[in-house]
Amino acid sequence: MARGTGFRSTAVWGTAVVLALGACSGSGDNARTAPVEASGDGTLRIGLILDNTGSQAFLNAAQLAAAKLAVQQINAAGGHKGRPVELLPETTGGDTAAQARELVNAKADAVIGPTDSSRAPAAIDVLSKAGITLISPANTAPELSSYKSGGYYFRTAAADTAQAPVLVKIAKDAGAKRLAVVYEDGTYGQELSSAVSASAKAGGLDPVTLTGFKAGEARTAASATRDAAPDAVVVIARDGAQGAIAELANAGLPGNKLILADGAFRQYGSDLGSKALEGARALVPGAFPSAHFQAELVAVDPGLKDMTFAAETYDAVNLAALAAAAAEDDAGASIAGTLISVSGGTSGSRGSASPSGKPTACTTYKDCLAAIRDGKAIDYDGESGPVRFDTSGDVTAAKYMVFTYGADNKATLTGSEAAGRSAG
């Protein structure tokens, strides 16, 4: 979740020897240094950073349920080297650094979280220095791709800018030739609007007009957008989304011309004028949880009502455990050094060593573990879809849900799209 904002590895298969990561020495370098022997104590411990408070507090429950479900299934399959994987007791709060320090003291090997991108640096700084792998199921700020973590930071959520080609595809599929982009001033709006413009031009949409606005002051931008006579309008906003949509409607732009980026998606209902969004489409990261997965989560937490980030959390836990299994070591450095390979990713000349041959696709910890024990390379494709980490710890494949609004300004799921890029 983007509010507020690499690595390489060598694991010798079957000997649990990895290269030490630069962050272990506190250097902040994303490269590795000298080889070290496996240093885990034989018990894989996974911690959670749950940083959602106030109106966002509901996001904690899905992540906790998903982590518990994954650990239950991992332990049912034999755990790590015959020992149960431990899910450390969770706390909730906005002091991410304090939570990270608590997890260091609890001897965590891998940590899942935080949700808020702006809090990720605090967690990375503490955990990377301690040699603990961090995998966020929700961070989307693009600048985190280059944040110096010594190779300990990964995320199972795609960066905000990954949706750019999908937004353009939706416009093109509807027959658009001329595209307008209306974006809210700020890092999210500026970075994503630039990415959409580049994708549109690469896809043959030209001209592309970009118009920025400040939250609550979208009237001028709406008028300029109308005057550009676009076939489609991509709306990139968060706090100012409702006001921008209202001004676009007042300017005479119908809902069926609008395509909302993820930050602008919500069930507006009567908060907007009648039919303001009728026919509009919106993009939401992730894949809609399968009925089976939802049932498994509700079995863990019968009161669960929202599944946001559940799939990404579940996959993060499984990937951490599979990385430990592949490295035959539960230490954070070993997990970080093997995550790219078990995710099906590649890292070129800086990549980790792994069994030769085409990776075996697998969707559960149990099946992936069996493949690892057979000496096979694996490609874990979980509930959130393919992951395939690159050397920055970013996913190189992402799934999106497409929603369409009705006359009541409420959206229903109508399709799905995927975006991918080569690892690098």
Side-chain angles (χ1 to χ4, degrees), residues 185-197:
D185 287 339
T187 301
Y188 170 73
Q190 291 166 357
E191 290 183 342
L192 183 50
S193 64
S194 295
V196 170
S197 177

Side-chain angles (χ1 to χ4, degrees), residues 171 176-181 225 230-234 257-259 281:
K177 303 294 184 185
R178 300 166 61 91
L179 184 69
V181 180
T225 300
D231 302 313
V233 180
V234 174
K257 283 193 174 185
L258 305 186
I259 303 169
R281 288 139 295 166

Side-chain angles (χ1 to χ4, degrees), residues 3-4 37 50 101 107 123-125 133 174 194 198 204 225 229 232 246 274 365 375 380 405 423:
R3 289 174 51 201
E37 292 295 329
L50 301 175
R101 287 191 292 269
K107 299 182 179 180
I124 294 169
D125 291 346
T133 298
S194 295
T225 300
S274 177
Y365 175 83
Y380 173 78
Y405 285 87

Side-chain angles (χ1 to χ4, degrees), residues 68-90:
K68 287 181 176 179
L69 174 62
V71 169
Q72 286 176 8
Q73 294 177 347
I74 291 166
N75 287 336
H80 174 67
K81 300 176 75 171
R83 293 187 185 181
V85 173
E86 294 182 7
L87 184 62
L88 297 174
E90 78 284 351

